[in-house]
Amino acid sequence: MATETPTLVELAEQILAQAKEIESALPSSPTFVNDTISKLPSDLEKTRKSLIDTTETLNALLRGAGGPVGRIFDKCYTYPDELALHVIYHFRIPQAVPMDGQISFAELAAKVKVDETQLIRILRHGMSIHLFHEPTRGQVAHTADTALLVTDHTLFDLVGTLLEDLRPAGLAFPTAMEKWPGSQEADQTGWQVAYDTSMSMYDHICQYPERISRFSNHLTQIARFDPRASEHFASAYPWGDLPPGSTIVDIGGGNGQYSVAVAERYSHLNFIVQEKPGVSVEGAATLPAHLKDRIKFMDHDMFDSQPVKDADIYFMRHVFHNWSDKYCVEVLKKLIPALKPGAKVLACDLCIPDVGERAEVERREVTRIDLMMMSLYNARERDVEQVKDLFEAADDRLDFQKGYTLEGCMDKICEATWKG
């Protein structure tokens, strides 16, 4: 159902009220050099995201649909913004600018070994989007944004991964759509078109040590968005209702961090962490001594038949979003011979919220990732109904129950009960 668009004045009044609330909680009003918004109390994060939504709505309405400042032009001309950031990354320009002080364009061009005229043009556009600033004519100094690219190497590597490695696959995806309409295969995506390879994205990038290193660092940066993810997972589902001695199988569980989080909180549960050979070596080696009798590691490919029979729960966290529907259904089907009546199957992933369920800035985070997963793997993010469809496609005896929301993030634990 369409919602009524607020008037410009209504939006402005809402912005003023929320801005006053946020500013009153900060040591000083944020600037592009002094990023005090990073000190905002966590209980105002919802207000902050609402304010971002409101200002973006006001901006979009004022731009209008057409014309040189219109919404269509604005979207098309994000390419030069990305170009500026790409050049800034590629030539490691932030690292060449003094953290406290300034440097002339001429000196900077010499340090990073680029043409001075080109550098000036790139940086003057970058300055329009708060990448560096020009305190006096001809001088370059850091903003909070570019300073962060120096002090946070995982953020710097995120920029490199997205712009140098992943972005070409997105640009090539329309060609992939024409070449392989509706494909669910990981080797028929924008990546194969962009890089002229038949290998999947991950297999291909693993051939390049520098790329795989920065890809790993970009994942580390993303994980910082919710450093308590495993705690949220442990608290979001009623694990405590399970009877003593219940067995939980953690499929594709990596180093077992989520099993560890639940086991720490619920001492009556036992876990089996399954992964491909070699993946869980570190997790097994660093498992706390007091959990060794309750958490075991097992080599297992989730596309093979499930070897652990009659467990109480089989769960997969951040597994389905790496695969297209076809392969998610296959994984679920491999579980069915092992399931006992009443067994639970849990799939925990990013879930696309309904419109209005979360701030639009949060919802857009997930839809952006969804398009990236499509262009790289033909994988996807899903809403709760689409996860329910996966269970039903695997077997209609997998009775979908509900989606449990994880506090502080966009994940949900989607639960089905085996009725067989």
Side-chain angles (χ1 to χ4, degrees):
M1 181 183 296
T3 57
E4 185 176 345
T5 302
T7 67
L8 298 181
V9 171
E10 287 171 340
L11 289 167
E13 288 174 342
Q14 183 179 340
I15 288 168
L16 179 60
Q18 292 177 324
K20 286 181 175 179
E21 183 180 3
I22 287 174
E23 191 168 81
S24 68
L26 296 174
S28 61
S29 191
T31 71
F32 293 113
V33 174
N34 186 18
D35 190 29
T36 58
I37 199 70
S38 62
K39 297 178 173 62
L40 186 71
S42 59
D43 61 346
L44 284 175
E45 191 62 25
K46 186 174 181 180
T47 302
R48 176 195 180 199
K49 289 175 179 176
S50 175
L51 181 53
I52 292 170
D53 280 0
T54 308
T55 54
E56 288 184 348
T57 299
L58 181 63
N59 181 299
L61 289 172
L62 287 170
R63 285 185 177 278
V69 298
R71 294 188 291 269
I72 298 296
F73 270 63
D74 185 51
K75 298 296 182 293
C76 292
Y77 279 101
T78 58
Y79 164 67
D81 300 348
E82 294 173 358
L83 172 61
L85 181 55
H86 191 176
V87 170
I88 287 167
Y89 166 84
H90 187 83
F91 291 99
R92 299 183 64 84
I93 295 173
Q95 289 79 358
V97 174
M99 287 298 288
D100 297 307
Q102 49 194 285
I103 186 172
S104 70
F105 282 117
E107 292 174 292
L108 183 56
K111 284 185 72 173
V112 298
K113 297 181 173 59
V114 300
D115 177 79
E116 182 182 350
T117 300
Q118 289 180 324
L119 180 72
I120 292 171
R121 293 166 67 188
I122 288 288
L123 292 194
R124 285 220 166 112
H125 179 72
M127 290 170 183
S128 75
I129 52 174
H130 317 300
L131 299 171
F132 299 110
H133 71 113
E134 194 171 4
T136 58
R137 186 166 179 82
Q139 296 290 310
V140 180
H142 278 295
T143 59
D145 306 53
T146 52
L148 197 58
L149 292 175
V150 179
T151 59
D152 188 343
H153 76 279
T154 63
L155 178 62
F156 188 74
D157 279 351
L158 178 142
V159 173
T161 292
L162 293 181
L163 295 185
E164 295 225 327
D165 299 330
L166 307 190
R167 184 169 171 269
L171 295 175
F173 192 68
T175 302
M177 292 174 68
E178 292 177 337
K179 187 173 183 179
W180 302 296
S183 177
Q184 297 197 48
E185 304 300 326
D187 59 358
Q188 297 178 347
T189 74
W191 187 272
Q192 286 71 40
V193 175
Y195 290 99
D196 191 24
T197 179
S198 60
M199 301 175 73
S200 70
M201 174 264 175
Y202 192 74
D203 289 343
H204 187 239
I205 207 171
C206 280
Q207 296 183 106
Y208 303 92
E210 180 184 352
R211 284 181 169 185
I212 196 62
S213 174
R214 70 184 175 201
F215 183 81
S216 177
N217 283 338
H218 118 275
L219 294 178
T220 299
Q221 173 68 207
I222 292 170
R224 290 182 186 173
F225 297 158
D226 184 17
R228 297 174 58 215
S230 57
E231 295 176 43
H232 295 326
F233 180 78
S235 62
Y237 185 78
W239 306 101
D241 294 347
L242 293 168
S246 294
T247 297
I248 298 166
V249 181
D250 180 357
I251 302 166
N255 286 316
Q257 60 269 40
Y258 295 100
S259 287
V260 168
V262 180
E264 290 281 16
R265 184 172 295 201
Y266 301 100
S267 60
H268 65 294
L269 304 177
N270 300 313
F271 299 82
I272 300 171
V273 180
Q274 296 179 333
E275 256 296 0
K276 290 183 177 181
V279 173
S280 299
V281 171
E282 182 182 349
T286 59
L287 185 67
H290 67 282
L291 297 179
K292 289 184 182 294
D293 62 332
R294 294 196 293 119
I295 299 179
K296 305 300 180 184
F297 289 85
M298 173 188 289
D299 289 345
H300 174 62
D301 187 325
M302 64 186 178
F303 291 103
D304 294 335
S305 295
Q306 175 56 241
V308 180
K309 311 291 185 183
D310 299 330
D312 298 277
I313 289 181
Y314 299 81
F315 83 80
M316 293 157 282
R317 186 169 197 274
H318 287 185
V319 169
F320 281 1
H321 90 131
N322 287 315
W323 299 94
S324 63
D325 290 354
K326 167 185 173 180
Y327 290 102
C328 293
V329 169
E330 184 178 334
V331 169
L332 289 170
K333 285 184 174 180
K334 294 297 184 182
L335 293 178
I336 289 170
L339 300 178
K340 66 181 181 181
K344 305 288 187 182
V345 179
L346 309 181
C348 178
D349 263 306
L350 280 173
C351 269
I352 301 173
D354 294 334
V355 175
E357 181 183 351
R358 302 286 290 260
E360 189 60 27
V361 67
E362 293 179 299
R363 187 172 185 275
R364 194 181 307 123
E365 286 177 26
V366 186
T367 56
R368 280 174 171 166
I369 295 171
D370 180 44
L371 294 190
M372 289 176 61
M373 298 304 290
M374 180 170 65
S375 69
L376 298 173
Y377 305 105
N378 275 324
R380 65 182 301 181
E381 309 300 340
R382 299 169 177 87
D383 60 31
V384 171
E385 284 299 312
Q386 289 164 338
V387 178
K388 177 182 177 182
D389 291 343
L390 295 179
F391 286 121
E392 291 178 350
D395 195 300
D396 59 12
R397 291 171 291 178
L398 280 169
D399 186 26
F400 184 81
Q401 302 296 304
K402 63 178 291 187
Y404 294 83
T405 299
L406 272 68
E407 176 194 352
C409 70
M410 304 296 286
D411 286 14
K412 288 188 178 180
I413 299 174
C414 293
E415 176 192 61
T417 302
W418 178 245
K419 297 190 301 181

